[in-house]
Amino acid sequence: MISKYPDPPLTIAVIGGGVIGRTLATAWTRSGHGVTFGVRRPQDDDLLQFAAGIGANVTAIEPALTGTDTVLLAIAGDAMPEVVPQLAPQLAGKTVIDATNNVVSPVLNSIADLSALAPTARVYRAFNTVGWENFADPTYGDTIGDLLYSGPAGIGQQAVERLIGDTGLRPIHLGDNDKAHLADALTALWFTLAFEQGYGRGVGFKVLTR
């Protein structure tokens, strides 16, 4: 699949080799973007085979960040307080997407730490509100799902909306990161619907307008 956006392909560092990162990397490489997984164990055979199958690369975390314009943080949320200070110097000037959910903290996102420690990065809250199944298949019958996100307007927003669109989902901007709590509230709603109310992990969201 070729991206519907006419701009040159992005170079993306996916930090983390779990199912969220893998699913998004698959959509993005199919759209022509360059993807490098940055992980603590770059010699992991399973990840190496997966990356080779979709045309992505695998390196340690620091080399993955070198020369990339966009960073997806898709690691365990409770690791973010340790990881963000380590990565912050290399995030300067990049578009950084926080897709993590720190479920052991009162605040699910790491926007405050990212913004404080990497003040020149363009930080966004996205890809955290639904399960990976919705990135793999964004359709619900005849309806295309929406992905709601927060972050500043400008070049970074264009990149984030492009990457959301390349999964097939429709991007819905909530506003700057003072609205990140709304994205996190959707995460809580998704968990309630998916698990407590039995809708399953494929449940998604759609904004309706007249």
Side-chain angles (χ1 to χ4, degrees):
M1 179 177 69
I2 302 301
S3 174
K4 64 182 179 180
Y5 296 86
D7 301 309
L10 300 173
T11 56
I12 307 164
V14 173
I15 307 305
V19 66
I20 292 288
R22 293 188 187 202
T23 304
L24 291 173
T26 299
W28 295 340
T29 54
R30 286 177 179 168
S31 293
H33 303 295
V35 175
T36 298
F37 288 97
V39 293
R40 290 184 173 178
R41 294 184 58 250
Q43 71 277 16
D44 179 84
D45 287 339
D46 181 69
L47 181 57
L48 286 168
Q49 291 179 18
F50 176 84
I54 64 169
N57 299 310
V58 180
T59 71
I61 294 174
E62 290 191 5
L65 293 170
T66 302
T68 58
D69 47 50
T70 306
V71 180
L72 174 77
L73 297 171
I75 62 174
D78 58 3
M80 289 290 279
E82 174 188 354
V83 170
V84 170
Q86 298 173 4
L87 300 187
Q90 290 184 273
L91 300 180
K94 300 182 187 296
T95 298
V96 180
I97 304 170
D98 178 14
T100 68
N101 285 314
N102 189 351
V103 296
V104 300
S105 170
V107 179
L108 292 179
N109 68 73
S110 296
I111 296 294
D113 286 348
L114 287 164
S115 298
L117 296 173
T120 63
R122 300 176 291 272
V123 181
Y124 294 83
R125 182 65 165 149
F127 299 109
N128 65 294
T129 56
V130 295
W132 65 268
E133 295 87 348
N134 299 272
F135 308 140
D137 182 1
T139 60
Y140 307 84
D142 296 328
T143 301
I144 298 294
D146 292 339
L147 189 74
L148 290 82
Y149 75 99
S150 69
I155 295 174
Q157 180 186 7
Q158 295 171 18
V160 172
E161 293 211 345
R162 181 179 181 182
L163 293 176
I164 293 171
D166 285 340
T167 69
L169 292 163
R170 183 179 68 152
I172 299 289
H173 190 215
L174 294 169
D176 210 336
N177 283 322
D178 59 339
K179 299 295 191 295
H181 67 285
L182 297 177
D184 290 353
L186 281 176
T187 305
L189 175 60
W190 184 86
F191 274 102
T192 297
L193 293 174
F195 302 118
E196 294 181 25
Q197 299 303 317
Y199 284 87
R201 292 185 54 89
V203 64
F205 298 114
K206 185 68 183 177
V207 175
L208 303 177
T209 57
R210 294 191 184 278

